[in-house]
mmCIF file of all heavy atoms in Angstrom:
data_model
loop_
_atom_site.group_PDB
_atom_site.id
_atom_site.type_symbol
_atom_site.label_atom_id
_atom_site.label_comp_id
_atom_site.label_asym_id
_atom_site.label_seq_id
_atom_site.Cartn_x
_atom_site.Cartn_y
_atom_site.Cartn_z
ATOM 1 N N MET A 1 -40.882 -9.531 140.082
ATOM 2 C CA MET A 1 -39.835 -9.102 139.136
ATOM 3 C C MET A 1 -39.835 -7.578 139.028
ATOM 4 O O MET A 1 -40.874 -6.955 138.826
ATOM 5 C CB MET A 1 -40.074 -9.719 137.754
ATOM 6 C CG MET A 1 -39.081 -9.294 136.699
ATOM 7 S SD MET A 1 -39.447 -10.052 135.093
ATOM 8 C CE MET A 1 -38.141 -9.335 134.103
ATOM 9 N N ASN A 2 -38.680 -6.996 139.204
ATOM 10 C CA ASN A 2 -38.537 -5.533 139.135
ATOM 11 C C ASN A 2 -38.278 -5.144 137.673
ATOM 12 O O ASN A 2 -37.133 -4.982 137.238
ATOM 13 C CB ASN A 2 -37.398 -5.082 140.035
ATOM 14 C CG ASN A 2 -37.360 -3.563 140.167
ATOM 15 O OD1 ASN A 2 -38.020 -2.855 139.418
ATOM 16 N ND2 ASN A 2 -36.594 -3.087 141.123
ATOM 17 N N LEU A 3 -39.373 -4.989 136.888
ATOM 18 C CA LEU A 3 -39.245 -4.731 135.455
ATOM 19 C C LEU A 3 -38.482 -3.440 135.153
ATOM 20 O O LEU A 3 -37.595 -3.441 134.281
ATOM 21 C CB LEU A 3 -40.634 -4.705 134.813
ATOM 22 C CG LEU A 3 -40.654 -4.537 133.285
ATOM 23 C CD1 LEU A 3 -39.897 -5.665 132.607
ATOM 24 C CD2 LEU A 3 -42.091 -4.469 132.782
ATOM 25 N N PRO A 4 -38.795 -2.314 135.814
ATOM 26 C CA PRO A 4 -38.042 -1.078 135.514
ATOM 27 C C PRO A 4 -36.538 -1.236 135.725
ATOM 28 O O PRO A 4 -35.744 -0.690 134.954
ATOM 29 C CB PRO A 4 -38.639 -0.065 136.500
ATOM 30 C CG PRO A 4 -40.009 -0.587 136.776
ATOM 31 C CD PRO A 4 -39.879 -2.089 136.775
ATOM 32 N N PHE A 5 -36.137 -1.979 136.746
ATOM 33 C CA PHE A 5 -34.711 -2.198 136.995
ATOM 34 C C PHE A 5 -34.046 -2.908 135.823
ATOM 35 O O PHE A 5 -32.985 -2.511 135.354
ATOM 36 C CB PHE A 5 -34.545 -3.012 138.287
ATOM 37 C CG PHE A 5 -33.140 -3.488 138.513
ATOM 38 C CD1 PHE A 5 -32.176 -2.624 139.019
ATOM 39 C CD2 PHE A 5 -32.755 -4.793 138.201
ATOM 40 C CE1 PHE A 5 -30.866 -3.062 139.222
ATOM 41 C CE2 PHE A 5 -31.454 -5.231 138.390
ATOM 42 C CZ PHE A 5 -30.511 -4.352 138.906
ATOM 43 N N TRP A 6 -34.697 -3.980 135.359
ATOM 44 C CA TRP A 6 -34.109 -4.748 134.268
ATOM 45 C C TRP A 6 -34.147 -3.993 132.939
ATOM 46 O O TRP A 6 -33.208 -4.088 132.138
ATOM 47 C CB TRP A 6 -34.809 -6.089 134.135
ATOM 48 C CG TRP A 6 -34.482 -7.017 135.266
ATOM 49 C CD1 TRP A 6 -35.298 -7.397 136.293
ATOM 50 C CD2 TRP A 6 -33.219 -7.633 135.506
ATOM 51 N NE1 TRP A 6 -34.643 -8.230 137.164
ATOM 52 C CE2 TRP A 6 -33.349 -8.401 136.695
ATOM 53 C CE3 TRP A 6 -31.992 -7.641 134.848
ATOM 54 C CZ2 TRP A 6 -32.304 -9.146 137.237
ATOM 55 C CZ3 TRP A 6 -30.950 -8.378 135.372
ATOM 56 C CH2 TRP A 6 -31.106 -9.119 136.549
ATOM 57 N N VAL A 7 -35.195 -3.216 132.702
ATOM 58 C CA VAL A 7 -35.256 -2.406 131.489
ATOM 59 C C VAL A 7 -34.177 -1.336 131.519
ATOM 60 O O VAL A 7 -33.496 -1.066 130.514
ATOM 61 C CB VAL A 7 -36.648 -1.769 131.315
ATOM 62 C CG1 VAL A 7 -36.644 -0.785 130.138
ATOM 63 C CG2 VAL A 7 -37.699 -2.838 131.093
ATOM 64 N N ARG A 8 -33.991 -0.727 132.692
ATOM 65 C CA ARG A 8 -32.963 0.315 132.818
ATOM 66 C C ARG A 8 -31.574 -0.263 132.602
ATOM 67 O O ARG A 8 -30.728 0.339 131.931
ATOM 68 C CB ARG A 8 -33.088 0.965 134.196
ATOM 69 C CG ARG A 8 -32.272 2.244 134.356
ATOM 70 C CD ARG A 8 -32.531 2.919 135.686
ATOM 71 N NE ARG A 8 -33.883 3.474 135.719
ATOM 72 C CZ ARG A 8 -34.870 3.009 136.460
ATOM 73 N NH1 ARG A 8 -34.661 1.952 137.245
ATOM 74 N NH2 ARG A 8 -36.052 3.577 136.443
ATOM 75 N N ARG A 9 -31.350 -1.447 133.176
ATOM 76 C CA ARG A 9 -30.044 -2.092 133.002
ATOM 77 C C ARG A 9 -29.827 -2.477 131.534
ATOM 78 O O ARG A 9 -28.734 -2.264 130.981
ATOM 79 C CB ARG A 9 -29.956 -3.325 133.894
ATOM 80 C CG ARG A 9 -28.744 -4.187 133.604
ATOM 81 C CD ARG A 9 -28.514 -5.201 134.684
ATOM 82 N NE ARG A 9 -27.962 -4.580 135.879
ATOM 83 C CZ ARG A 9 -27.448 -5.283 136.904
ATOM 84 N NH1 ARG A 9 -27.441 -6.610 136.866
ATOM 85 N NH2 ARG A 9 -26.956 -4.679 137.958
ATOM 86 N N HIS A 11 -31.182 -1.103 128.933
ATOM 87 C CA HIS A 11 -31.010 0.143 128.178
ATOM 88 C C HIS A 11 -29.575 0.645 128.285
ATOM 89 O O HIS A 11 -28.978 1.089 127.288
ATOM 90 C CB HIS A 11 -31.987 1.194 128.712
ATOM 91 C CG HIS A 11 -31.954 2.480 127.964
ATOM 92 N ND1 HIS A 11 -32.504 2.637 126.705
ATOM 93 C CD2 HIS A 11 -31.410 3.700 128.282
ATOM 94 C CE1 HIS A 11 -32.323 3.881 126.298
ATOM 95 N NE2 HIS A 11 -31.661 4.542 127.241
ATOM 96 N N VAL A 210 -32.963 -0.239 117.556
ATOM 97 C CA VAL A 210 -34.408 -0.145 117.788
ATOM 98 C C VAL A 210 -34.739 -0.544 119.227
ATOM 99 O O VAL A 210 -35.553 0.113 119.900
ATOM 100 C CB VAL A 210 -35.172 -1.031 116.783
ATOM 101 C CG1 VAL A 210 -36.648 -1.109 117.163
ATOM 102 C CG2 VAL A 210 -35.034 -0.468 115.371
ATOM 103 N N LEU A 211 -34.106 -1.609 119.734
ATOM 104 C CA LEU A 211 -34.322 -2.020 121.128
ATOM 105 C C LEU A 211 -33.900 -0.916 122.097
ATOM 106 O O LEU A 211 -34.562 -0.672 123.112
ATOM 107 C CB LEU A 211 -33.539 -3.300 121.420
ATOM 108 C CG LEU A 211 -34.055 -4.584 120.774
ATOM 109 C CD1 LEU A 211 -33.118 -5.742 121.100
ATOM 110 C CD2 LEU A 211 -35.466 -4.898 121.257
ATOM 111 N N PHE A 212 -32.797 -0.262 121.793
ATOM 112 C CA PHE A 212 -32.325 0.847 122.629
ATOM 113 C C PHE A 212 -33.357 1.978 122.669
ATOM 114 O O PHE A 212 -33.675 2.513 123.742
ATOM 115 C CB PHE A 212 -30.994 1.362 122.081
ATOM 116 C CG PHE A 212 -30.439 2.542 122.828
ATOM 117 C CD1 PHE A 212 -29.905 2.382 124.094
ATOM 118 C CD2 PHE A 212 -30.445 3.804 122.257
ATOM 119 C CE1 PHE A 212 -29.384 3.469 124.789
ATOM 120 C CE2 PHE A 212 -29.932 4.891 122.946
ATOM 121 C CZ PHE A 212 -29.398 4.720 124.206
ATOM 122 N N ALA A 213 -33.893 2.321 121.504
ATOM 123 C CA ALA A 213 -34.884 3.389 121.443
ATOM 124 C C ALA A 213 -36.172 2.996 122.161
ATOM 125 O O ALA A 213 -36.768 3.801 122.894
ATOM 126 C CB ALA A 213 -35.178 3.741 119.981
ATOM 127 N N LEU A 214 -36.622 1.749 121.982
ATOM 128 C CA LEU A 214 -37.864 1.298 122.617
ATOM 129 C C LEU A 214 -37.724 1.232 124.132
ATOM 130 O O LEU A 214 -38.642 1.625 124.868
ATOM 131 C CB LEU A 214 -38.258 -0.072 122.063
ATOM 132 C CG LEU A 214 -38.730 -0.106 120.601
ATOM 133 C CD1 LEU A 214 -38.981 -1.545 120.159
ATOM 134 C CD2 LEU A 214 -39.976 0.747 120.411
ATOM 135 N N SER A 215 -36.571 0.732 124.596
ATOM 136 C CA SER A 215 -36.366 0.673 126.048
ATOM 137 C C SER A 215 -36.299 2.072 126.645
ATOM 138 O O SER A 215 -36.835 2.321 127.736
ATOM 139 C CB SER A 215 -35.099 -0.120 126.378
ATOM 140 O OG SER A 215 -33.948 0.499 125.816
ATOM 141 N N GLY A 216 -35.662 3.006 125.938
ATOM 142 C CA GLY A 216 -35.618 4.385 126.406
ATOM 143 C C GLY A 216 -36.998 5.018 126.442
ATOM 144 O O GLY A 216 -37.351 5.725 127.395
ATOM 145 N N ALA A 217 -37.805 4.746 125.409
ATOM 146 C CA ALA A 217 -39.170 5.289 125.380
ATOM 147 C C ALA A 217 -40.006 4.712 126.519
ATOM 148 O O ALA A 217 -40.801 5.426 127.154
ATOM 149 C CB ALA A 217 -39.815 4.989 124.028
ATOM 150 N N TRP A 218 -39.846 3.412 126.780
ATOM 151 C CA TRP A 218 -40.584 2.790 127.887
ATOM 152 C C TRP A 218 -40.205 3.419 129.223
ATOM 153 O O TRP A 218 -41.061 3.686 130.072
ATOM 154 C CB TRP A 218 -40.311 1.294 127.911
ATOM 155 C CG TRP A 218 -41.212 0.557 128.887
ATOM 156 C CD1 TRP A 218 -42.409 -0.013 128.622
ATOM 157 C CD2 TRP A 218 -40.944 0.324 130.274
ATOM 158 N NE1 TRP A 218 -42.934 -0.583 129.754
ATOM 159 C CE2 TRP A 218 -42.049 -0.384 130.795
ATOM 160 C CE3 TRP A 218 -39.890 0.670 131.133
ATOM 161 C CZ2 TRP A 218 -42.136 -0.774 132.122
ATOM 162 C CZ3 TRP A 218 -39.977 0.277 132.464
ATOM 163 C CH2 TRP A 218 -41.073 -0.431 132.947
ATOM 164 N N LEU A 219 -38.901 3.673 129.429
ATOM 165 C CA LEU A 219 -38.448 4.273 130.682
ATOM 166 C C LEU A 219 -38.985 5.687 130.854
ATOM 167 O O LEU A 219 -39.343 6.102 131.963
ATOM 168 C CB LEU A 219 -36.918 4.279 130.729
ATOM 169 C CG LEU A 219 -36.248 2.914 130.944
ATOM 170 C CD1 LEU A 219 -34.741 3.017 130.755
ATOM 171 C CD2 LEU A 219 -36.567 2.371 132.340
ATOM 172 N N VAL A 220 -39.033 6.445 129.771
ATOM 173 C CA VAL A 220 -39.600 7.798 129.847
ATOM 174 C C VAL A 220 -41.077 7.719 130.223
ATOM 175 O O VAL A 220 -41.554 8.456 131.103
ATOM 176 C CB VAL A 220 -39.408 8.539 128.508
ATOM 177 C CG1 VAL A 220 -40.218 9.842 128.498
ATOM 178 C CG2 VAL A 220 -37.938 8.830 128.273
ATOM 179 N N PHE A 221 -41.819 6.838 129.554
ATOM 180 C CA PHE A 221 -43.252 6.676 129.852
ATOM 181 C C PHE A 221 -43.449 6.230 131.294
ATOM 182 O O PHE A 221 -44.315 6.760 132.018
ATOM 183 C CB PHE A 221 -43.855 5.646 128.899
ATOM 184 C CG PHE A 221 -45.287 5.316 129.189
ATOM 185 C CD1 PHE A 221 -46.306 6.177 128.820
ATOM 186 C CD2 PHE A 221 -45.614 4.134 129.854
ATOM 187 C CE1 PHE A 221 -47.630 5.874 129.098
ATOM 188 C CE2 PHE A 221 -46.933 3.819 130.135
ATOM 189 C CZ PHE A 221 -47.938 4.694 129.756
ATOM 190 N N TYR A 222 -42.646 5.283 131.762
ATOM 191 C CA TYR A 222 -42.752 4.795 133.134
ATOM 192 C C TYR A 222 -42.459 5.898 134.140
ATOM 193 O O TYR A 222 -43.143 6.026 135.171
ATOM 194 C CB TYR A 222 -41.791 3.618 133.331
ATOM 195 C CG TYR A 222 -41.690 3.157 134.766
ATOM 196 C CD1 TYR A 222 -42.667 2.323 135.320
ATOM 197 C CD2 TYR A 222 -40.612 3.549 135.570
ATOM 198 C CE1 TYR A 222 -42.575 1.898 136.637
ATOM 199 C CE2 TYR A 222 -40.524 3.140 136.889
ATOM 200 C CZ TYR A 222 -41.504 2.316 137.420
ATOM 201 O OH TYR A 222 -41.415 1.909 138.729
ATOM 202 N N SER A 223 -41.424 6.709 133.834
ATOM 203 C CA SER A 223 -41.051 7.790 134.752
ATOM 204 C C SER A 223 -42.160 8.817 134.885
ATOM 205 O O SER A 223 -42.494 9.254 135.993
ATOM 206 C CB SER A 223 -39.762 8.448 134.245
ATOM 207 O OG SER A 223 -39.408 9.533 135.060
ATOM 208 N N PHE A 224 -42.776 9.220 133.770
ATOM 209 C CA PHE A 224 -43.865 10.207 133.828
ATOM 210 C C PHE A 224 -45.088 9.635 134.560
ATOM 211 O O PHE A 224 -45.745 10.325 135.342
ATOM 212 C CB PHE A 224 -44.262 10.658 132.422
ATOM 213 C CG PHE A 224 -43.368 11.733 131.874
ATOM 214 C CD1 PHE A 224 -42.550 11.497 130.777
ATOM 215 C CD2 PHE A 224 -43.331 12.988 132.459
ATOM 216 C CE1 PHE A 224 -41.728 12.472 130.275
ATOM 217 C CE2 PHE A 224 -42.514 13.982 131.954
ATOM 218 C CZ PHE A 224 -41.706 13.739 130.856
ATOM 219 N N ARG A 225 -45.382 8.364 134.316
ATOM 220 C CA ARG A 225 -46.545 7.759 134.970
ATOM 221 C C ARG A 225 -46.329 7.648 136.472
ATOM 222 O O ARG A 225 -47.236 7.862 137.271
ATOM 223 C CB ARG A 225 -46.819 6.371 134.375
ATOM 224 C CG ARG A 225 -48.163 5.785 134.820
ATOM 225 C CD ARG A 225 -48.433 4.479 134.154
ATOM 226 N NE ARG A 225 -47.512 3.444 134.646
ATOM 227 C CZ ARG A 225 -47.633 2.146 134.341
ATOM 228 N NH1 ARG A 225 -48.616 1.743 133.531
ATOM 229 N NH2 ARG A 225 -46.784 1.269 134.804
ATOM 230 N N ARG A 226 -45.089 7.339 136.854
ATOM 231 C CA ARG A 226 -44.781 7.212 138.275
ATOM 232 C C ARG A 226 -44.922 8.567 138.973
ATOM 233 O O ARG A 226 -45.406 8.643 140.120
ATOM 234 C CB ARG A 226 -43.358 6.650 138.429
ATOM 235 C CG ARG A 226 -42.997 6.323 139.855
ATOM 236 C CD ARG A 226 -41.626 5.700 139.912
ATOM 237 N NE ARG A 226 -41.265 5.366 141.269
ATOM 238 C CZ ARG A 226 -40.067 4.880 141.629
ATOM 239 N NH1 ARG A 226 -39.150 4.672 140.687
ATOM 240 N NH2 ARG A 226 -39.796 4.594 142.887
#
Side-chain angles (χ1 to χ4, degrees):
M1 178 181 179
N2 189 347
L3 184 59
F5 170 79
W6 289 108
V7 173
R8 192 175 290 110
R9 170 167 285 192
H11 183 74
V210 171
L211 289 177
F212 178 72
L214 290 176
S215 61
W218 189 92
L219 288 171
V220 170
F221 175 77
Y222 172 80
S223 177
F224 278 114
R225 191 176 69 172
R226 187 176 181 185

